[in-house]
Amino acid sequence: MRPKIAIVNSSSFGKLFPEHLEKLSKFSDVRRINVPANTSAAVLIPELQGIQGVITSITPKYSAEVLRALPHLVAIARHGISVSNIDLKAATMCGIAVSHVPGMVEREAVAEHAVSLMLAASRQLFPAYNAVQKGSWNSRAQFIGVELKEKRIGLVGFGNVGKRVAEILMKGFGCEVVAFDPFLEDSEFISQGVKRVTFKELLTTSTVISLHCSLNDSNHKAIGEGEFSLMKKGSILVNTSCGELIDEKALIKYLSQGYLGVYASDVIEGAPQVSLDHPLLKMQNVIIVPHLGAYTYESLKGMGDTAIQDMHDIFTAEKFPDNLANKDLIESGLKKWQ
């Protein structure tokens, strides 16, 4: 028997690199399933009946209701880092192995993207380009920027991506980088030559603040009214992590007042279901791009390679993949798919 593997909402998988589909097809029967991001359990469950493996994007949501209704499902491989759309506890209870792309695969792409957003914001590249498109070449005096050289940059989160961002900024621009991450030992900061600071100090002293932390119960809308009021007037906020880290109501208020200089983001709350009437999309001091952080040829190749290897480990080698997200499952063993 060959397992049936569905590629769900991962539009980039197998498109840039057809060999990924070819490799997957050698040991499985592959089909693509595309559903709306907010698809209900009632709609998703019939779509996945009889499927043993899923390679999925950050949507749809695999709730406990969905997972319990799919007795044939053995494995879910996230075509990305975050597994926030998958109920890991329910997956473990159902014997479903959940894997994800290790951070190092996307590290360079996301780090360079974060620095690109800093540069675009500090030099007002987007509004300047919009002016040129409208024939206002002589309006350049409106777009005087600031240099990153020797500025203090604050990183919220100091994992794989945060460390690489710090390296680029310090070696490339001579920046003073400070960071806040409550989950790391002091040695992690010392080894990188980065000063560890409190969250409050980071907010009050940084010219640019860049978010590099995953979303959890404790940091939902962690940047709100109080946090914005602490930031330096005219500061730049960069977000390549998650839209839900930001209280958008407070963000819009401080942008409208001109207190926050620029918000440059790769994410937005509710994406991809974002209305064209969203207030942030109408503001001149906002840059929002459609979650491009990991979208480089190098990163996408690594992501595809990882998903294929994880599925091969489970269905051919019959072992847990190295990138298992719900490691509690190891105690009960790998679910048989035959």
Side-chain angles (χ1 to χ4, degrees):
M1 289 181 62
R2 286 160 59 88
K4 296 181 178 66
I5 295 179
I7 302 166
V8 182
N9 286 11
S10 293
S11 58
S12 63
F13 183 92
K15 295 293 179 66
L16 287 177
F17 302 97
E19 62 267 30
H20 285 159
L21 278 178
E22 294 170 7
K23 290 178 180 179
L24 197 60
S25 298
K26 286 181 179 179
F27 63 88
S28 66
D29 296 327
V30 183
R31 60 176 292 197
R32 285 191 181 273
I33 296 175
N34 294 304
V35 296
N38 59 351
T39 296
S40 67
V43 173
L44 184 59
I45 290 168
E47 290 279 359
L48 296 180
Q49 284 298 333
I51 297 294
Q52 284 85 33
V54 168
I55 295 175
T56 187
S57 181
I58 194 63
T59 66
K61 288 191 176 182
Y62 299 85
S63 64
E65 180 184 358
V66 170
L67 298 177
R68 285 196 293 263
L70 300 173
H72 297 96
L73 189 60
V74 175
I76 300 175
R78 256 290 284 126
H79 191 224
I81 294 175
S82 172
V83 290
S84 60
N85 61 321
I86 304 168
D87 188 325
L88 290 183
K89 184 176 179 180
T92 300
M93 294 293 292
C94 296
I96 300 168
V98 179
S99 66
H100 64 118
V101 173
M104 291 300 291
V105 172
E106 297 182 8
R107 181 188 195 225
E108 189 64 30
V110 178
E112 290 185 13
H113 189 51
V115 175
S116 297
L117 287 173
M118 292 179 197
L119 289 167
S122 65
R123 295 306 302 269
Q124 301 194 62
L125 295 186
F126 281 73
Y129 175 56
N130 291 337
V132 171
Q133 282 189 311
K134 296 174 182 177
S136 299
W137 182 273
N138 294 325
S139 62
R140 62 179 182 172
Q142 299 176 32
F143 308 114
I144 299 172
V146 296
E147 298 173 6
L148 291 183
K149 182 181 179 182
E150 298 178 355
K151 297 296 190 298
R152 172 175 274 208
I153 314 293
L155 307 181
V156 181
F158 199 55
N160 284 323
V161 173
K163 289 183 175 67
R164 178 59 180 144
V165 169
E167 183 179 33
I168 294 170
L169 291 172
M170 291 189 296
K171 292 184 177 180
F173 297 91
C175 294
E176 177 195 3
V177 178
V178 299
F180 168 78
D181 194 319
F183 302 104
L184 299 181
E185 299 293 331
D186 288 344
S187 58
E188 297 264 14
F189 300 84
I190 295 170
S191 65
Q192 302 296 316
V194 169
K195 180 182 179 183
R196 182 175 203 166
V197 296
T198 64
F199 191 34
K200 182 177 180 180
E201 182 180 346
L202 185 148
L203 295 174
T204 57
T205 64
S206 300
T207 299
V208 178
I209 297 168
S210 190
L211 306 183
H212 300 285
C213 49
S214 57
L215 182 69
N216 56 53
D217 293 338
S218 66
N219 64 16
H220 185 261
K221 297 189 185 300
I223 310 292
E225 178 82 27
E227 287 71 31
F228 284 117
S229 69
L230 293 173
M231 295 180 187
K232 294 171 62 176
K233 185 174 177 23
S235 59
I236 294 169
L237 177 61
V238 174
N239 186 3
T240 53
S241 294
C242 183
E244 285 73 14
L245 293 169
I246 306 288
D247 181 336
E248 286 189 353
K249 184 177 180 180
L251 171 64
I252 291 167
K253 172 185 173 181
Y254 279 82
L255 285 167
S256 300
Q257 293 175 349
Y259 188 87
L260 181 65
V262 183
Y263 179 59
S265 181
D266 190 43
V267 290
I268 189 171
E269 186 173 0
Q273 308 296 324
V274 180
S275 170
L276 291 177
D277 293 328
H278 195 297
L280 286 175
L281 302 184
K282 299 179 179 181
M283 305 184 83
Q284 289 297 308
N285 53 347
V286 171
I287 299 168
I288 296 180
V289 292
H291 201 35
L292 300 177
Y295 268 52
T296 64
Y297 286 95
E298 297 86 352
S299 177
L300 286 171
K301 184 178 186 306
M303 290 164 62
D305 289 344
T306 300
I308 293 166
Q309 185 62 54
D310 291 348
M311 287 296 174
H312 184 273
D313 285 347
I314 291 169
F315 292 110
T316 300
E318 297 186 353
K319 67 177 185 178
F320 287 111
D322 293 337
N323 312 303
L324 190 68
N326 55 337
K327 295 187 182 298
D328 292 345
L329 187 61
I330 294 175
E331 295 182 7
S332 55
L334 187 64
K335 181 179 178 181
K336 297 297 181 181
W337 64 273
Q338 292 90 346

